[in-house]
Amino acid sequence: MLLDLITSRRAVFVGGKGGVGKTSVAAALALGRARSGARVLLVSTDPAHNLGHLWGRPVGDEPVRLAGPEDLVPGAGTVGHVDGLEIDPERTVERHLSAVAETMRRLLPERMHAPAARHLQLARQAPGTHESAVLERVAEAVELGEEAYDLVVFDTAPSGHTLRLLALPEQLASWTEALLANRDRSERFGAAVRGLGGGGETDRDAELRRVLLRRRNRFSRLREVVTDPARTGFVLVLTAEPLPIAETTEVYEKLTGLGVDVAALVANRRSPADAGELLDRRRRQEDEHLARLRQRVPDVPLFDVPLLPGDLVGTEALAVLADRLGPSPS
């Protein structure tokens, strides 16, 4: 069972091509684990959020209760729950830059405040600002998960955005290391100047170093968690069609190249084989597409999820999907 496969993980990322049902699968995994007693945080990193629509209640940038014990299987004796949040990119960037501005005001000489403010205004729309800020929130969610939850499930943006996001921790940690190295050289020079009777910026230098170390450690920690298969797994959702399968193969190769464990593949909305000639022919065609996928990705469990009737909205519908995340993998 897919739910059994993720039981020991502390973080699960659910991704894939747009429109294949990532949000539904992520929500069903969260609900399924909660029904077995786990405290689950469900986080959307996709700018086009759907958690609120899926659960039929408002979801924002802070955790809200999506399903408590009263919403789970009656009589199951579970004490788990699902909390959800949708990372707000604009709020995240604003909060991120406000924190940077406050740090700059504390650490920079007053004559540098105006140039720093202009720089931050330009940085607001600079490439990478959005991803860096969202990554900070992902790191915060992982840390919150370790403190207050048994599992964090990330409903991610379409594949390209998610791959860029997962590549960032190492890049940002390396960038911060370079800044720290520059600070070390500056501090050694400053110490020599102070030894000759020059002025000192000891407190300011020490605080800046603490800020840089905290940032480096946060991204290094996130990198460790994301690349630890005992704690983190990636579930790739697809439909049994040529384009989603081609993208799944490419994403699988890139994720493994980043050191991320792909725990499972989920072939969503599979056509029934006993519902008339049209769907039977489609099912056979899907089988051929999936056979080619198995040739390219032979060692990752592949789970079939059938096409379900009705709309996947609300706890009851998600519970039906959670029950389907259990057939033996192929």
Side-chain angles (χ1 to χ4, degrees):
M1 294 178 64
L2 178 53
L3 286 168
D4 292 337
L5 196 63
I6 68 168
T7 296
S8 62
R9 314 289 176 113
R10 296 301 303 273
V12 172
F13 289 81
V14 180
K17 185 176 175 60
V20 296
K22 298 185 300 297
T23 300
S24 298
V25 171
L29 286 174
L31 184 63
R33 288 288 291 115
R35 289 166 68 186
S36 64
R39 301 163 301 165
V40 185
L41 178 63
L42 177 59
V43 181
S44 172
T45 71
D46 190 345
H49 297 301
N50 288 308
L51 290 186
H53 301 298
L54 191 65
W55 291 86
R57 64 193 65 185
V59 180
D61 198 51
E62 298 296 334
V64 298
R65 184 60 46 89
L66 296 177
E70 67 280 1
D71 300 307
L72 305 179
V73 179
T78 58
V79 293
H81 60 261
V82 180
D83 291 346
L85 71 86
E86 296 178 336
I87 293 177
D88 181 340
E90 294 303 322
R91 182 184 175 193
T92 302
V93 169
E94 186 62 39
R95 191 180 71 165
H96 177 75
L97 292 180
S98 295
V100 172
E102 177 60 30
T103 301
M104 283 184 165
R105 281 192 293 271
R106 288 200 318 271
L107 301 183
L108 294 177
E110 188 172 350
R111 68 180 185 277
M112 296 295 296
H113 287 185
R118 288 195 295 271
H119 172 77
L120 284 181
Q121 192 60 37
L122 292 173
R124 191 178 303 277
Q125 303 301 327
T129 297
H130 172 275
E131 286 86 352
S132 177
V134 170
L135 190 68
E136 289 268 13
R137 291 289 278 131
V138 170
E140 289 174 8
V142 169
E143 292 167 4
L144 177 61
E146 292 183 335
E147 295 170 1
Y149 295 91
D150 302 303
L151 173 68
V152 183
V153 178
F154 290 95
D155 169 34
T156 70
S159 303
H161 180 275
T162 299
L163 288 170
R164 289 194 300 274
L165 199 64
L166 291 177
L168 271 178
E170 186 170 357
Q171 296 169 5
L172 290 174
S174 298
W175 178 71
T176 308
E177 286 283 4
L179 288 179
L180 283 165
N182 288 335
R183 293 304 307 167
D184 288 341
R185 287 193 290 271
S186 297
E187 287 169 9
R188 286 196 295 271
F189 176 75
V193 170
R194 289 190 293 274
L196 295 173
E201 297 287 343
T202 312
D203 292 341
R204 184 176 294 158
D205 287 343
E207 185 171 355
L208 180 55
R209 182 173 181 80
R210 284 195 296 271
V211 170
L212 291 174
L213 282 170
R214 187 164 57 247
R215 184 178 177 84
R216 182 200 66 182
N217 292 341
R218 164 166 277 180
F219 288 131
S220 295
R221 171 69 174 161
L222 179 60
R223 176 69 178 164
E224 289 174 6
V225 171
V226 167
T227 57
D228 182 354
R231 288 184 288 181
T232 302
F234 205 104
V235 175
L236 279 173
V237 183
L238 61 129
T239 52
E241 300 168 300
L243 290 181
I245 285 178
E247 185 166 313
T248 298
T249 302
E250 181 179 351
V251 172
Y252 167 78
E253 293 171 352
K254 290 182 177 178
L255 286 172
T256 54
L258 290 170
V260 178
D261 177 55
V262 178
L265 307 172
V266 175
N268 197 21
R269 303 172 190 150
R270 290 278 271 132
S271 300
D274 56 355
E277 182 181 354
L278 176 63
L279 289 177
D280 181 58
R281 288 176 57 189
R282 183 174 177 82
R283 174 74 179 210
R284 290 197 301 270
Q285 190 173 46
E286 291 173 358
D287 290 340
E288 292 174 4
H289 295 321
L290 291 177
R292 285 194 289 273
L293 175 64
R294 299 313 281 152
Q295 291 175 353
R296 298 290 301 275
V297 187
D299 300 323
V300 178
L302 172 63
F303 294 85
D304 271 3
V305 176
L307 181 66
L308 298 175
D311 296 321
L312 277 173
V313 177
T315 306
E316 291 185 9
L318 290 172
V320 173
L321 179 56
D323 289 338
R324 296 290 187 167
L325 296 175
S328 300
S330 57

